[in-house]
Amino acid sequence: MNMLELIIKKRDGHPLEKEEIDWFVSRYTGGEIPDYQVSALLMAIFFQGMNDRETRDLTMAMAYSGDCLKLDGIRGIKVDKHSTGGVGDKVTLIVAPIAASLGVPVAKMSGRGLGFTGGTIDKLESIPGFRTDLSEKEFEEFVNRDGIAIMGQTAELAPADKVLYALRDVTGTVDNMSLIASSIMSKKIAAGADAIVLDVTCGQGAFMKKEEDARLLGEKMVEIGKLAGLNTRAVITDMEEPLGRNIGNALEVQEAIDVLKGGGPEDTVTVCTELAAQMLLAGEITDSYEKAVSLVKESIESGKALEKLEILIRNQGGDPEVLKDYSRFKTAPVRREFKAEADGYLQRIICDSVGNCVKSLGGGREVKEQEIDPSVGLTLLKKTGDRVEKGETIAVIHAADEEHAGRAEKDLREACIVGTEKPEKRPLIYGIIQ
Ligand code: URA
């Protein structure tokens, strides 16, 4: 077998055999195939696609490319949650402590930002001192003792996804259904949970722009999860505009804290309530959806969910004072208001452009090794459908310097469309696949 043959085979539209998939996954993970050849194969997969059998084979090859966590020592039904990505998506930071506070052991392995979307690990690392490089022993210990731990992908768990994920991020090969499904499900299978709740986003700020594609992706992942013996369900959520008001790593953690304190933007609260309720159902805390929703609300009102977040932060070396004092986060030195040039309604916020704008501010990576700036980002004072007057502030730009702020302002001028018609409201939740 050689890599050039596989590239040409896929380029010409033929399915790869299981042995071929196993071969390139293990060789690339072992450092035996150069990035440029795997980039070419990924691009061929991007254009030619993979059938369901290839997608399953790729998932399993990646899942078993390293160690698999054995969480048998942890009592209860361990529930993991994963999003297919979005802009302003701080859902994990909210639902993980809620579910944990209600008795669901949350053993979560998360990723970094990818393409124009953010990643939970980058967000958590904006909390001063927070460590995401837990050993498997620490991970298990925290979940057993406190019901919650979130760690980054270790070199040992699904290492194939780790290297492929980073390569896809810089080669324009992220938004392919098979690559997304295998990336997510391989990590979930390796991470050892019993049940998985998937947040499959759809819209301009998601990798799946159309609802039917998001449903298809959800179905593929649920099927793979079930084949691997995991209780898997997917919630299709809207990502036509950024979720909530804050976009950017430290800013998103602050919004998550606001929600756990009983505030926060309505859309973030609605999406998180649904996903947290699904985690309770998957964790068999209750079999009533209504009861699950009321438990989620109670856990916020009683402050229990916020307490869990505090425990998570303390356990993983972070500064818990951030919960009370947001000035303990790194703060961007420049704040610039982006203002409306005309009266009207905010008709659209082109979500992937906003994600790219935050990336260009330094909140995401352009190349694999890039350090990100946790402080930069945007605060949206207006959301789609809101009335705006000329000169009114639509968003606040948090930037490292004036030059970056100026560029972001230009990006936002194109991404935020003001017009005379009030746009129709879109649903936030499109359905559940299980
Ligand atoms: N999240 C992942 O973990 N992988 C993807 O490919 C996309 C989103």
Side-chain angles (χ1 to χ4, degrees):
M1 232 176 276
N2 78 61
M3 195 58 191
L4 181 57
E5 274 170 22
L6 298 199
I7 295 168
I8 292 171
K9 187 170 180 185
K10 187 41 86 181
R11 183 200 68 189
D12 293 346
H14 305 292
L16 300 178
E17 299 305 324
K18 178 179 183 317
E19 298 66 41
E20 292 170 327
I21 291 173
D22 288 345
W23 182 85
F24 97 78
V25 168
S26 74
R27 296 291 158 116
Y28 182 54
T29 311
E32 293 164 53
I33 307 176
D35 280 358
Y36 58 82
Q37 281 193 308
V38 177
S39 305
L41 181 64
L42 289 171
M43 194 54 86
I45 293 172
F46 182 89
F47 282 114
Q48 296 291 357
M50 276 185 145
N51 63 31
D52 286 350
R53 196 268 309 148
E54 288 177 286
T55 307
R56 280 197 302 273
D57 288 344
L58 180 60
T59 307
M60 296 307 168
M62 283 159 63
Y64 298 111
S65 59
D67 294 348
C68 287
L69 277 187
K70 292 210 178 22
L71 302 180
D72 307 344
I74 298 173
R75 294 168 297 277
I77 299 172
K78 278 84 61 190
V79 181
D80 200 345
K81 173 261 161 200
H82 203 92
S83 161
T84 55
V87 178
D89 178 356
K90 63 281 290 175
V91 171
T92 294
L93 306 173
I94 299 166
V95 299
I98 293 176
S101 76
L102 292 163
V104 177
V106 178
K108 169 114 184 70
M109 198 166 89
S110 286
R112 296 193 178 275
L114 185 67
F116 57 83
T117 68
T120 300
I121 292 301
D122 293 331
K123 292 171 206 197
L124 284 170
E125 285 179 355
S126 72
I127 301 170
F130 197 99
R131 269 194 323 116
T132 55
D133 59 342
L134 302 181
S135 66
E136 290 178 21
K137 192 165 162 280
E138 285 172 308
F139 187 65
E140 202 170 307
E141 188 186 309
F142 294 151
V143 181
N144 245 335
R145 195 184 62 211
D146 297 311
I148 189 166
I150 303 180
M151 71 169 183
Q153 225 169 322
T154 64
E156 294 82 37
L157 283 183
D161 177 59
K162 189 171 171 138
V163 286
L164 285 168
Y165 191 95
L167 189 62
R168 283 168 57 215
D169 193 23
V170 292
T171 54
T173 52
V174 170
D175 42 349
N176 170 272
M177 222 180 264
S178 294
L179 295 177
I180 295 174
S182 56
S183 161
I184 292 178
M185 294 313 290
S186 63
K187 283 192 281 263
K188 301 296 99 180
I189 292 168
D194 306 302
I196 303 171
V197 175
L198 298 163
D199 178 5
V200 182
T201 50
C202 73
Q204 186 62 45
F207 296 128
M208 296 299 117
K209 308 289 179 207
K210 292 193 276 185
E211 186 189 336
E212 60 264 35
D213 288 341
R215 282 188 186 275
L216 207 60
L217 176 61
E219 281 161 14
K220 268 187 206 293
M221 290 196 291
V222 168
E223 193 205 312
I224 295 172
K226 287 189 173 161
L227 278 174
L230 308 172
N231 172 355
T232 312
R233 62 186 68 206
V235 183
I236 313 292
T237 63
D238 192 57
M239 190 50 76
E240 181 66 14
E241 66 172 336
L243 185 68
R245 296 198 178 270
N246 283 2
I247 309 138
N249 295 293
L251 293 166
E252 290 187 38
V253 178
Q254 292 164 28
E255 183 173 307
I257 297 169
D258 288 344
V259 172
L260 292 178
K261 286 181 174 168
E266 206 184 310
D267 57 345
T268 308
V269 173
T270 304
V271 168
C272 289
T273 303
E274 179 65 38
L275 283 154
Q278 292 299 333
M279 288 177 79
L280 299 190
L281 295 171
E284 296 180 13
I285 296 296
T286 170
D287 57 8
S288 150
Y289 174 75
E290 288 72 27
K291 173 86 183 154
V293 169
S294 80
L295 284 171
V296 168
K297 290 184 177 158
E298 261 171 53
S299 111
I300 294 178
E301 279 159 20
S302 64
K304 286 204 178 109
L306 188 67
E307 268 169 39
K308 260 307 165 205
L309 179 63
E310 182 171 353
I311 291 169
L312 171 81
I313 294 175
R314 277 188 200 283
N315 279 350
Q316 301 196 205
D319 175 5
E321 291 302 310
V322 294
L323 296 175
K324 292 186 218 115
D325 178 5
Y326 293 169
S327 72
R328 297 180 90 98
F329 287 98
K330 183 179 172 205
T331 309
V334 174
R335 275 183 196 211
R336 187 180 292 196
E337 292 185 16
F338 167 70
K339 297 187 176 183
E341 283 183 329
D343 296 346
Y345 291 96
L346 187 52
Q347 284 186 321
R348 256 190 100 192
I349 302 177
I350 304 176
C351 197
D352 55 0
S353 308
V354 169
N356 278 321
C357 169
V358 172
K359 189 165 141 181
S360 310
L361 280 167
R365 295 177 187 77
E366 310 280 351
V367 289
K368 274 203 281 188
E369 301 73 20
Q370 190 177 335
E371 288 264 320
I372 59 168
D373 183 343
S375 68
V376 299
L378 304 171
T379 301
L380 299 174
L381 303 187
K382 299 283 179 185
K383 298 270 302 197
T384 308
D386 285 350
R387 177 88 202 149
V388 295
E389 308 299 332
K390 186 174 172 187
E392 216 182 343
T393 305
I394 295 178
V396 178
I397 300 163
H398 306 252
D401 52 45
E402 294 294 343
E403 194 190 324
H404 279 86
R407 261 190 269 145
E409 198 174 354
K410 256 208 211 130
D411 292 343
L412 286 182
R413 192 66 62 208
E414 281 172 24
C416 297
I417 317 244
V418 176
T420 50
E421 305 259 303
K422 188 172 163 81
E424 261 183 39
K425 217 171 163 49
R426 286 168 61 103
L428 283 169
I429 314 281
Y430 290 88
I432 319 275
I433 297 165
Q434 52 183 337

